[in-house]
Amino acid sequence: MLQINYIKQNPALVKERLAIRNFARIELVDELIAADEALRLLKSNVENLQASVNLASREIGVFMLNGEKHKADAKKQEVSKWKEELTYTKATLQMLEENFSTKLLLLPNLPHISVPAGKTPGDNEVILEGGSKPQLFEGAKPHWELIKDYKLVDFEIGAKLAGSGFALFRGRGAKLQRALIQYFLDYNTQGGYVEFMPPLLVNENTAYGTGQLPDKEGQMYHITGDNLYLIPTGEVPVTNIYSNEIVPESDLPVKMTAYTPCFRREAGSFGSDVRGLNRLHQFEKVEIIQLVKAVGSYAVLEEMVNHVERLLQFLELPYRILRLCGGDMGFTSALTYDFEVYSAAQQKWLEVSSVSNFETFQTNRMKIRTKNEEGKTELLHSLNGSSLALPRIMAALLENNQTAEGIHLPKALHNYFGAAMLEK
RNA sequence: GGAGAGUUGUCCGAGUGGUUGAAGGAGCACGCCUGGAAAGUGUGUAUAUGGGAAACUGUAUCGAGGGUUCGAAUCCCUCACUCUCCGCCA
């Protein structure tokens, strides 16, 4: 959620930034500024009325103590006249406030100055490529065939148990996944991130905090019986750990990591994008999250990008880093770098991580603050990234490292998996 | 799931309708005392938001949200959470 004071002070800039996203309802900016003025005026009316009532009530209290009942009764008469007005004005105020905050929730975050204009993923900027694409032998297969040949993942049974888009990992497939999770968590904690295991279901309030509601209502699984949502990413419960907290400066930066399954309805997806492990309703992910002071948060973003990049290097996968354009960026983000790995048999880049700075967009909703040198509270910046999403990493590992004898694993995984390769 | 007891400031804890944003204590900060420290002693010590250059001041907040009342931490309703007992259970 954007801060209204910032919008009021920089209306032109806000509109210009929103245009980078191709945001359709720019007029909301002016509407919000006008609504805020009206709101303030009405609020001070209410407060003045309330002040009069409070004062009179105190006087009545004194009269009662002194036994001057007639004076008290006279005062009561006086107050009851104000009360009617107060009730009415309060109701109006509440209406205006609801209207105001509904509108404010519609505004996405302002893109950082470095975000390129653009509408589609084709407009994203490729920042760098790393690693080298493998030369596959004749007869190399895409991962959805490899997982059958090696009996790693079974989609038929997954579909039988839950539905299409659900996978059953088995045997070495399950172990490889577990090895990756373990490796990622160890790598992250060595980087100073504290590990968490959060609830996988969250309430409405928590889903609002990180911005999944109201923007992505239809993309989350909703348990109506208890009004809980299955988390679409570990970001949701973990960032909310600090909601409504004033974090002591000595605790900053807060660095957290968590492995969680992620649940996404992904309604409306189709085509080869959803083949095999490319897109699932439930997938495993290890997330990193930081809460930092506003000053220097972009240096922290770079640090997180480097952290993820090194992990991909340890996995010996060909990768590239993209800076997302305004049109492709998430609702809550100010700047997002996507990581993609090259899946050699599909000859396709697969997104495996998305590292973003949300500035104060999330922390404003969650009221995550710290005290600055002057003793004033200020909002922190929140950042997060995948480190890493599992299924597509597994897809790339299988495809890129296949040989006639079996699938070789990168050195970093040998101990975790207990073997250097998957034999035929 | 059933029954009961709770939720007050950084912490402990008092407070069942009237200058209560909240007694008392602890902690913390500053001062006095001391050669220095402890002890002692004095003063101060919530958050958000509006106004104001500031001093200061309005409003809201005693788990959350509603209600009764001129006035609610205190009375009523709904919900959440914690604890104890019973039931169920990995």
Side-chain angles (χ1 to χ4, degrees):
Chain A
M1 190 164 61
L2 296 176
Q3 295 170 264
I4 185 63
N5 284 339
Y6 184 84
I7 297 176
K8 275 162 63 183
Q9 284 156 21
N10 311 281
L13 183 65
V14 168
K15 288 180 204 168
E16 180 200 311
R17 293 280 93 208
L18 287 177
I20 298 280
R21 277 187 180 270
N22 312 300
F23 182 64
R25 301 188 58 189
I26 301 280
E27 76 279 0
L28 278 175
V29 174
D30 290 322
E31 285 175 34
L32 278 164
I33 292 171
D36 182 65
E37 285 308 316
L39 212 53
R40 266 159 207 279
L41 198 67
L42 201 61
K43 213 180 234 171
S44 79
N45 281 347
V46 167
E47 287 184 1
N48 288 338
L49 269 168
Q50 190 64 57
S52 312
V53 172
N54 287 349
L55 182 67
S57 295
R58 249 172 273 148
E59 284 169 10
I60 291 171
V62 175
F63 289 144
M64 296 296 274
L65 283 179
N66 296 338
E68 299 172 294
K69 196 156 186 310
H70 52 289
K71 282 193 185 177
D73 285 341
K75 203 73 184 172
K76 279 190 200 176
Q77 286 291 313
E78 208 179 312
V79 174
S80 62
K81 274 184 292 179
W82 300 333
K83 288 277 287 182
E84 250 176 70
E85 192 183 345
L86 189 60
T87 310
Y88 173 77
T89 320
K90 263 187 179 165
T92 316
L93 180 65
Q94 201 189 342
M95 236 174 57
L96 287 184
E97 266 175 345
E98 272 164 25
N99 194 279
F100 177 82
S101 53
T102 308
K103 275 186 183 164
L104 193 56
L105 284 174
L106 291 175
L107 291 185
N109 202 356
L110 303 179
H112 183 256
I113 194 75
S114 67
V115 171
K119 294 193 170 164
T120 66
D123 297 319
N124 295 337
E125 265 177 32
V126 178
I127 308 269
L128 69 82
E129 284 193 28
S132 51
K133 298 181 183 174
Q135 285 301 315
L136 293 187
F137 63 97
E138 194 70 29
K141 294 174 173 176
H143 73 268
W144 50 82
E145 289 182 28
L146 294 172
I147 57 179
K148 273 190 188 161
D149 294 352
Y150 286 81
K151 292 191 173 33
L152 303 176
V153 185
D154 193 316
F155 284 104
E156 284 73 25
I157 297 180
K160 180 175 86 174
L161 297 176
S164 82
F166 290 93
L168 175 74
F169 288 77
R170 73 157 86 206
R172 294 179 297 178
K175 184 168 186 185
L176 179 56
Q177 175 131 272
R178 178 160 55 85
L180 284 165
I181 292 167
Q182 185 92 341
Y183 173 53
F184 294 168
L185 282 171
D186 285 348
Y187 173 77
N188 292 340
T189 52
Q190 276 156 25
Y193 294 87
V194 176
E195 184 180 344
F196 289 88
M197 288 187 102
L200 306 180
L201 279 72
V202 295
N203 59 31
E204 228 174 316
N205 206 19
T206 301
Y208 265 100
T210 33
Q212 275 66 30
L213 288 178
D215 185 49
K216 290 183 175 159
E217 170 93 62
Q219 292 184 42
M220 283 188 291
Y221 287 97
H222 185 200
I223 295 163
T224 49
D226 298 287
N227 198 22
L228 293 170
Y229 292 87
L230 271 78
I231 58 168
T233 158
E235 159 199 349
V236 178
V238 175
T239 314
N240 273 281
I241 291 171
Y242 282 90
S243 66
N244 292 310
E245 298 281 340
I246 294 181
V247 186
E249 207 170 351
S250 54
D251 288 2
L252 298 176
V254 174
K255 298 175 80 174
M256 303 178 280
T257 185
Y259 149 68
T260 70
C262 301
F263 304 92
R264 299 188 184 178
R265 297 182 64 219
E266 308 279 14
S269 315
F270 64 93
S272 70
D273 281 355
V274 302
R275 199 85 197 264
L277 294 167
N278 288 355
R279 185 169 299 177
L280 300 169
H281 286 311
Q282 176 188 324
F283 65 96
E284 318 302 300
K285 182 157 65 66
V286 177
E287 187 81 356
I288 51 174
I289 292 147
Q290 290 210 39
L291 299 170
V292 304
K293 296 204 78 171
V295 176
S297 73
Y298 279 92
V300 173
L301 181 64
E302 297 305 318
E303 171 204 314
M304 290 170 78
V305 167
N306 291 338
H307 180 82
V308 173
E309 185 179 359
R310 268 198 313 275
L311 184 52
L312 287 171
Q313 288 166 351
F314 281 124
L315 291 173
E316 300 166 29
L317 289 170
Y319 65 91
R320 65 180 190 182
I321 305 177
L322 308 174
R323 184 184 296 149
L324 294 195
C325 72
D328 200 30
M329 237 173 26
F331 187 81
T332 53
S333 172
L335 178 58
T336 297
Y337 291 103
D338 268 8
F339 281 80
E340 296 180 337
V341 296
Y342 190 71
S343 169
Q346 298 181 71
Q347 300 190 359
K348 199 168 177 172
W349 290 97
L350 300 176
E351 183 193 333
V352 293
S353 177
S354 190
V355 186
S356 307
N357 188 348
F358 303 92
E359 298 193 3
T360 59
F361 196 85
Q362 296 183 324
T363 56
N364 189 29
R365 287 193 188 186
M366 285 181 279
K367 297 282 170 278
I368 303 181
R369 296 156 296 174
T370 190
K371 273 203 199 297
N372 64 21
E373 299 75 25
E374 293 140 37
K376 294 248 184 201
T377 53
E378 63 178 41
L379 293 170
L380 292 173
H381 281 192
S382 65
L383 303 94
N384 69 47
S386 343
S387 175
L388 287 159
L390 274 285
R392 292 177 191 166
I393 289 287
M394 193 182 285
L397 283 174
L398 298 178
E399 291 183 11
N400 293 10
N401 300 317
Q402 58 182 307
T403 65
E405 307 82 54
I407 298 168
H408 293 274
L409 294 175
K411 209 178 274 155
L413 291 177
H414 291 180
N415 281 337
Y416 285 97
F417 184 68
M421 69 179 293
L422 292 161
E423 288 174 33
K424 262 225 157 109

